[in-house]
Amino acid sequence: MALVVQKYGGTSVGTLARVENVARRALRTQAEGNQVVIIVSAMAGVTDKLLGLAYEVSEKPDTRELDVLASTGEQQSAAIMAMTIHKLGGKAKSLLGHQVKINTDGAFTKARIHTIEGSKVRSTVKDGHIAVVAGFQGLNAEGDITTLGRGGSDTTAVAIAAAIEADVCEIYTDVEGVFTTDPNICASARKIDRISFEEMLELASLGAKVLQIRSVELAMKYGVPLHVRSSFSDGMGTMVVGEEGLEKVVVQGVAYDKKEAKVQLINVPDRPGVVAKIFGELADRNVSVDMIIQSPSREGGTTTDVTFTVPKTDLTQVRDIIEQTARDVGGGAIEYDNDVVKVSIVGLGMRSHAGVAAEMFQLLSSEGVNIQAISTSEIKISCLIASKYTELAVRTLHDGFGLDKGASIVPPAH
Ligand code: ASP
Ligand code: MG
């Protein structure tokens, strides 16, 4: 007998008919001899609608009240799911964040889980019930309702799976699993069978939207195996697991991210402390900077050009900060570019294979795509390019590294 956690996203519970599908699947899993916990998201569109209402009332709604409101979506689907299971002859009980004691910090709208008590969920399933837990919600030290950030039900599911030491945490969604790249722009994208937590974390932070990033961090920390799969089919999805025993593929996936803008400071004085000042000012305002390049100025001499990327959503704030900083350090012109995209390749095998970056640059240049900035980590290489080349670059890298034929183990030879 296994202890199974199943998380169902908004589309999987988007209509009453779909709720019934989910209920049948959970009952089937239970009938096979397992104890079953399900975590539900709000029905598709409900969270957006609730937040929309709040922003109709006020441009800056109080975040405590925002969480009281937003968390009701999951409360609805938990109750509806339990009732549906009853209708099908099963036993089920809905549980809200405060009943499961999902204790979080006090950061309304983006709270982090501190602790979870497994006992309530455990006793519920021991009684033969399916425990239906409302995702996304927790409570802070004062007992106020908090929410875990958009997509937070994934994190609820992983945290509960860790707390009750579940055998597997299944994340049901509207796609077959995690893909080698976005199938919407690359027809040869394939479903990945097995991927490591580290790779998944990189892909998730690069904009692959299947899992909330925190849920992957948590799964990695507690070693909770994840199975990302479709609620509309019975096929195997993608297993997200520890890297032991995994084939170390050089390139596991290609991701792209259009959420960053490029900022260039031209002709700033080339002396100690200038770069520290620029990025210090940004850090003080909580702007996270991603790629950074410093290069000798086009004119040469005693000045330097500094190029970096920031979230597009922070650009207005960044303009103010940078214009002031440029005046302070006696710097030159500032240029902004919103039409950029970051394309990245991710794979554990990069650690032990040389030449992967060179291959990536070669593939892009063979299509005439100019690279504006580069950043790397141990298992990732990212290039900033003009956004009009997004599709071309993604397809070229995807097929160039052989992902259309099964993941590449060694970089293709030229
Ligand atoms: N309902 C929340 C959202 O839309 C949480 C979730 O679905 O995971 O972000
Ligand atoms: Mg989701």
Side-chain angles (χ1 to χ4, degrees):
M1 183 175 69
L3 185 50
V4 181
V5 170
Q6 302 182 327
K7 181 259 166 178
Y8 293 95
T11 36
S12 304
V13 296
T15 62
L16 291 181
R18 287 181 176 179
V19 169
E20 194 164 318
N21 267 343
V22 168
R24 287 187 196 283
R25 187 188 288 266
L27 283 166
R28 215 184 323 135
T29 310
Q30 192 188 39
E32 286 160 6
N34 304 298
Q35 292 182 332
V36 182
V37 180
I38 60 187
I39 318 298
V40 286
S41 283
M43 294 168 91
V46 168
T47 310
D48 285 337
K49 199 177 271 169
L50 293 168
L51 294 175
L53 277 176
Y55 285 97
E56 258 180 61
V57 176
S58 155
E59 253 172 53
K60 243 179 146 262
D62 181 80
T63 53
R64 179 186 181 277
E65 305 311 328
L66 209 48
D67 278 358
V68 173
L69 182 64
S71 62
T72 59
E74 274 70 13
Q75 178 160 344
Q76 294 173 19
S77 37
I80 290 171
M81 182 64 72
M83 290 173 189
T84 308
I85 295 172
H86 299 160
K87 183 183 84 173
L88 296 174
K91 286 167 73 179
K93 235 184 225 178
S94 65
L95 296 172
L96 302 181
H98 72 272
Q99 293 169 301
V100 182
K101 300 197 177 63
I102 298 181
N103 299 308
T104 70
D105 62 18
F108 294 116
T109 75
K110 46 176 187 288
R112 280 183 176 271
I113 297 177
H114 282 161
T115 56
I116 286 196
E117 263 229 45
S119 55
K120 182 81 182 171
V121 175
R122 278 229 175 94
S123 62
T124 305
V125 294
K126 265 201 196 107
D127 277 356
H129 287 89
I130 291 176
V132 184
V133 181
F136 187 47
Q137 50 180 255
L139 75 164
N140 67 13
E142 280 77 53
D144 292 333
I145 296 175
T146 55
T147 64
L148 309 178
R150 298 309 304 268
S153 299
D154 293 340
T155 301
T156 309
V158 174
I160 287 184
I164 64 175
E165 294 173 37
D167 295 286
V168 66
C169 179
E170 300 180 329
I171 308 279
Y172 285 90
T173 176
D174 51 359
V175 292
E176 297 292 314
V178 181
F179 279 71
T180 47
T181 194
D182 181 355
N184 295 316
I185 67 166
C186 179
S188 55
R190 291 174 313 102
K191 191 194 76 196
I192 298 170
D193 293 331
R194 292 169 78 76
I195 187 172
S196 67
F197 292 124
E198 291 89 337
E199 289 166 320
M200 192 62 234
L201 208 49
E202 290 283 10
L203 289 177
S205 35
L206 292 168
K209 290 183 275 307
V210 232
L211 288 169
Q212 199 198 32
I213 295 168
R214 276 186 198 170
S215 72
V216 186
E217 287 168 354
L218 212 59
M220 178 154 96
K221 182 166 170 197
Y222 292 102
V224 177
L226 303 179
H227 184 182
V228 181
R229 57 193 304 194
S230 166
S231 60
F232 305 112
S233 80
D234 284 330
M236 277 292 288
T238 301
M239 290 299 303
V240 189
V241 294
E243 63 178 84
E244 318 75 48
L246 262 193
E247 193 173 36
K248 306 280 188 293
V249 173
V250 173
V251 180
Q252 180 79 274
V254 179
Y256 64 96
D257 185 355
K258 292 188 173 171
K259 292 192 295 293
E260 304 256 320
K262 185 175 77 169
V263 182
Q264 273 184 298
L265 263 157
I266 296 154
N267 283 334
V268 291
D270 191 8
R271 58 177 151 75
V274 170
V275 169
K277 164 93 176 148
I278 297 168
F279 294 104
E281 295 288 342
L282 292 168
D284 287 346
R285 281 11 179 268
N286 276 322
V287 175
S288 55
V289 175
D290 183 24
M291 305 170 117
I292 302 176
I293 302 177
Q294 193 194 350
S295 50
S297 283
R298 294 161 208 176
E299 279 100 76
T302 55
T303 59
T304 177
D305 292 348
V306 181
T307 306
F308 55 92
T309 62
V310 292
K312 278 181 183 160
T313 47
D314 288 346
L315 205 53
T316 333
Q317 195 193 1
V318 168
R319 268 177 214 271
D320 295 343
I321 302 171
I322 288 302
E323 274 151 34
Q324 182 58 49
T325 314
R327 278 193 293 274
D328 292 349
V329 299
I334 307 166
E335 285 173 13
Y336 301 95
D337 188 354
N338 254 311
D339 293 321
V340 288
V341 63
K342 184 172 70 170
V343 287
S344 310
I345 55 174
V346 172
L348 283 181
M350 267 178 222
R351 284 187 195 139
S352 49
H353 278 281
V356 185
E359 179 66 27
M360 180 181 193
F361 306 152
Q362 178 61 43
L363 284 164
L364 291 174
S365 94
S366 69
E367 293 295 334
V369 178
N370 187 41
I371 299 169
Q372 306 180 16
I374 299 163
S375 71
T376 64
S377 81
E378 219 190 353
I379 64 164
K380 177 197 74 181
I381 305 165
S382 303
C383 293
L384 195 71
I385 62 170
S387 58
K388 65 179 175 196
Y389 294 126
T390 308
E391 276 88 352
L392 176 65
V394 168
R395 286 186 206 135
T396 302
L397 294 172
H398 186 266
D399 295 359
F401 279 103
L403 293 179
D404 51 337
K405 301 182 197 69
S408 66
I409 306 300
V410 288
H414 259 291

